[in-house]
């Protein structure tokens, strides 16, 4: 069996596997990758890290199967540049800036710490290189995770209720 044969050619999973030689086989659909990689002993974090594989949850955000791509760069505002296949079209790679919306986790390459940066991209986290930046990055990441998972959902619920009330009027 050739490398990455456990993934369908042209799909995001195949593309991520082709980009990252450390990527394990047989992780299933993109939405399953974070949990499946964790069960194989890989470190999965919610901190975007250069060279990691970003796993997006299955559902309305990307597809019923989830989505994956490789983090190329991380920006100070918490967004990150992702290289992915099958976002624009099958067999086609693209780069785009992503937020934490629908992220299920980042699979770290072996030996890489969260936020430290791996083999890909232009290096580092994209954050200031002073000693306090890594702690501040972790704090902001935790705040962003809370916002994305809780506050963002609550705001969407309030907006839906307001729209329903307007419809009743």
């Amino acid at each position: 069996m050739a490398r990455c044969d456990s993934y369908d050619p042209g799909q995001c999973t195949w593309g991520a596997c082709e980009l990252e030689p450390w990527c394990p086989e047989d992780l299933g659909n993109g939405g399953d990758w974070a949990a499946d990689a964790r069960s194989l002993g890989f470190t999965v974090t919610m901190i975007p890290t250069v060279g990691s594989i970003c796993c997006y949850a299955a559902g309305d955000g990307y597809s019923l199967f989830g989505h994956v791509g490789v983090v190329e760069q991380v920006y100070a505002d918490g967004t990150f540049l992702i290289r992915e296949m099958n976002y624009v079209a099958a067999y086609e790679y693209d780069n785009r800036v992503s937020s934490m919306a629908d992220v299920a986790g980042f699979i770290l390459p072996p030996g890489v710490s969260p936020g430290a940066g791996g083999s890909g991209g232009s290096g580092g986290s994209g954050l200031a290189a002073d000693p306090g930046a890594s702690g501040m990055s972790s704090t902001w990441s935790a705040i962003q995770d809370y916002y994305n998972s809780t506050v963002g959902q609550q705001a969407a619920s309030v907006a839906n209720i307001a729209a329903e009330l307007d419809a009743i009027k």
Side-chain angles (χ1 to χ4, degrees):
M1 178 161 114
R3 172 114 176 95
C4 303
D5 276 353
S6 64
Y7 306 111
D8 291 332
Q11 299 299 312
C12 62
T13 51
W14 183 77
C17 181
E18 287 286 317
L19 287 173
E20 293 299 332
W22 58 266
C23 176
E25 298 279 349
D26 298 310
L27 292 178
N29 292 322
D32 302 326
W33 275 36
D36 290 350
R38 186 177 287 119
S39 73
L40 292 175
F42 283 84
T43 300
V44 178
T45 181
M46 289 305 289
I47 300 171
T49 303
V50 172
S52 67
I53 297 175
C54 179
C55 308
Y56 297 94
D60 295 336
Y62 288 87
S63 83
L64 296 176
F65 306 105
H67 187 69
V68 294
V70 176
V71 177
E72 295 285 315
Q73 189 166 359
V74 178
Y75 303 109
D77 67 358
T79 62
F80 49 94
L81 183 67
I82 189 124
R83 181 143 181 85
E84 62 201 343
M85 181 172 277
N86 199 28
Y87 183 78
V88 173
Y91 292 98
E92 201 172 306
Y93 282 107
D94 68 89
N95 291 330
R96 70 180 170 90
V97 176
S98 180
S99 70
M100 292 294 290
D102 297 317
V103 170
F106 297 89
I107 305 170
L108 298 180
V112 173
S113 298
S119 61
S122 59
S125 66
L127 300 172
D130 70 47
S134 123
M136 181 175 265
S137 172
S138 296
T139 301
W140 279 112
S141 182
I143 292 168
Q144 186 176 27
D145 288 348
Y146 172 77
Y147 177 80
N148 286 335
S149 66
T150 306
V151 176
Q153 290 173 359
Q154 290 171 352
S157 295
V158 169
N160 289 339
I161 291 168
E164 289 176 20
L165 289 174
D166 283 342
I168 293 171
K169 287 182 187 176

